[in-house]
Amino acid sequence: MDHSIPIVSALDDIYAGNLLQHGARYQALTEAFVKAYGAMPSFIARAPGRVNIIGEHIDYCGLPVFPMAIVPDCLIAVKAVGGSSVKLSNVNTKFPARQFDYRPGNIVDIDESMHDWVNYFKCGYKGALEAIAGAASPVGMLCLMDGSVPISVGLSSSSAFVCCAVMATMRANGKLLSQERVVETSVASERYIGTNGGGMDQTTSIMSQSQSAAFIEFSPMLRVTPVKFPSTTPPIVFVIANTMVESDKAVTAPTNYNLRVVETRIGALMLAKHLNILEHSACANADPLTFKTVIDEFFASSYPSDCDSLVLKWTKRLTVMLERAEALFATHPQGFTLDECAGYLGVSTGDLAVLVHTDRYPVRAARFKLLQRAQHAFSEALRVVKFRQVCESGDTSDKCFVALGDLMNQSQASCRDLFECSSPELDEVCEIARKAGSFGSRLTGAGWGGCSVHLVRQDGCDSFIAALKQEYYLKRFPELSDNDLEHVVFATAPSSGAAIYVFN
């Protein structure tokens, strides 16, 4: 069953607290819109950022993840007007105003080589019009954006912007689709700027529920299960700490993010051949083939899907896959060359590029580390399932802190050693955090810099944040003011997902 994007006229339907602060922000955005365009906006589209609690770099493998939406968000105030031109401004003057015109045929030109902030809006605009079949006669749009999600730090600021642009364009053109279709459209749209993602960021931003994290499954169909954290005494709190090292996913994609996607896709193809299922229709027709499809097909006939609990089923399947992957890939611990991968599969390197989409999203690597990437993907998925199991166990004792924290610490080690997406700064923050009282500390987002997330007791949260400021920020970034630090390291709670705010 599809679910609708909420249409709200009260901020307490979006935010759980600090309503005066949020109200002042919406009022300031509205007043700035009137000043810029001489008219009131018709609505404000809102899409939050997210923090991934556990399950890193496995959404594009089709494997489950465990993120939650956060309060920082992207807002776009919008008014539909005559014509088909789009004017876009930002309350942050760092981002210059832009204007573009609808073009019959390709809708809008997007130059991936120009890393301009307007490209994120353009790709959402293009994807939305394609999805609603509104490309023939779209309305003109006046737009003003206000974003509070920190940029390029792993909290999904770019995906929140794209989701918001998709909703804004759909609503302005009178055809706001379901949550599921907005997610699908947003994922496809972001690929217009060269980001080959898996859907976690967009799903979390659109479909999250207040006070709950989200257990997200992508295959064989998108399914989001709200999961509450254990009701411990004192409560569990998550602290986000920005390393202040920016990692622009779009800029570094060929050697970082997109390369990891490609390594898992080549791994899936070779594993399917190793398991003698590559010619099965489920694998042969997959575009692209993912580890989850390989798992489902391998166990399709020999292992009924409903015979065990969720945890037991995943444990058995992932353990077998890990053993098979290690048997295949351990012959090349330093990685495979492209020619070796193509040779194993019996295809040309050009055909392999089409199968894993490097014809559209180029990558740069001398060798593909398939062993390490598979080890991370399968073990990380198992950690996600175990994390959910602890949350739903009913246990509210101190053991929850340790159990959940251990899984997060194991995830960080795997991201650092097997997936190689950590950084010296992330490693340092996590080490300081554990000494300061964190039960579990790990990178969050794509990695290679950006943010970390830490599980702490609420009664120790203030002292924990103070220790991070003293041991990391004041030593590395002494120029940061107290106000700056409030936006760099902070406690967070699960937020609601996307919404359209309309004026009374």
Side-chain angles (χ1 to χ4, degrees), residues 31-107:
E31 292 174 355
F33 188 98
V34 173
K35 183 177 180 180
Y37 298 120
M40 279 284 291
S42 303
F43 64 90
I44 296 175
R46 183 256 179 183
R50 65 96 189 93
V51 58
N52 191 21
I53 303 300
I54 195 165
E56 215 62 65
H57 283 281
I58 60 173
D59 57 334
Y60 50 74
C61 301
L63 298 170
V65 294
F66 199 94
M68 68 183 191
I70 57 177
V71 173
D73 52 19
C74 173
L75 304 178
I76 303 179
V78 182
K79 182 175 179 62
V81 294
S84 57
S85 292
V86 176
K87 294 182 179 181
L88 178 66
S89 298
N90 197 309
V91 296
N92 186 340
T93 55
K94 171 184 175 182
F95 302 102
R98 297 290 189 232
Q99 179 174 346
F100 62 87
D101 295 318
Y102 161 78
R103 293 181 180 275
N106 71 336
I107 300 178

Side-chain angles (χ1 to χ4, degrees), residues 331-371:
T331 58
H332 291 66
Q334 301 306 313
F336 293 74
T337 66
L338 186 62
D339 286 337
E340 288 171 335
C341 296
Y344 182 86
L345 293 167
V347 300
S348 69
T349 56
D351 288 340
L352 180 55
V354 174
L355 289 171
V356 298
H357 297 177
T358 52
D359 57 330
R360 285 178 274 171
Y361 310 105
V363 300
R364 297 192 300 272
R367 290 184 174 272
F368 300 93
K369 295 187 176 181
L370 307 186
L371 171 65

Side-chain angles (χ1 to χ4, degrees), residues 131-180:
I132 64 176
S137 55
V139 300
M141 297 171 63
L142 303 177
C143 305
L144 180 62
M145 176 187 168
D146 178 11
S148 61
V149 186
I151 297 171
S152 299
V153 298
L155 298 181
S156 196
S157 60
S158 57
S159 293
F161 189 7
V162 172
C163 289
C164 209
V166 167
M167 293 191 301
T169 303
M170 288 181 175
R171 173 76 179 187
N173 284 275
K175 297 180 181 179
L176 184 60
L177 301 182
S178 67
Q179 289 182 331
E180 291 80 0

Side-chain angles (χ1 to χ4, degrees), residues 16 21 66 75 114 159 169 257 280 347 389 435 439 462 480:
Q21 178 183 343
F66 199 94
L75 304 178
M114 298 292 292
S159 293
T169 303
Y257 188 89
H280 292 196
V347 300
Q389 180 187 33
K435 292 179 179 178
F439 288 87
D462 290 345
L480 292 177

Side-chain angles (χ1 to χ4, degrees), residues 163-225:
C163 289
C164 209
V166 167
M167 293 191 301
T169 303
M170 288 181 175
R171 173 76 179 187
N173 284 275
K175 297 180 181 179
L176 184 60
L177 301 182
S178 67
Q179 289 182 331
E180 291 80 0
R181 288 294 307 281
V182 171
V183 168
E184 177 185 311
T185 301
S186 300
V187 173
S189 297
E190 201 161 331
R191 292 169 184 157
Y192 286 128
I193 50 171
T195 301
N196 196 9
M200 172 183 67
D201 300 348
Q202 298 84 354
T203 305
T204 311
S205 185
I206 298 297
M207 299 185 69
S208 289
Q209 295 184 17
S210 181
Q211 306 305 314
S212 296
F215 180 83
I216 304 176
E217 300 166 272
F218 301 96
S219 177
M221 65 179 62
L222 179 64
R223 181 166 61 181
V224 180
T225 304

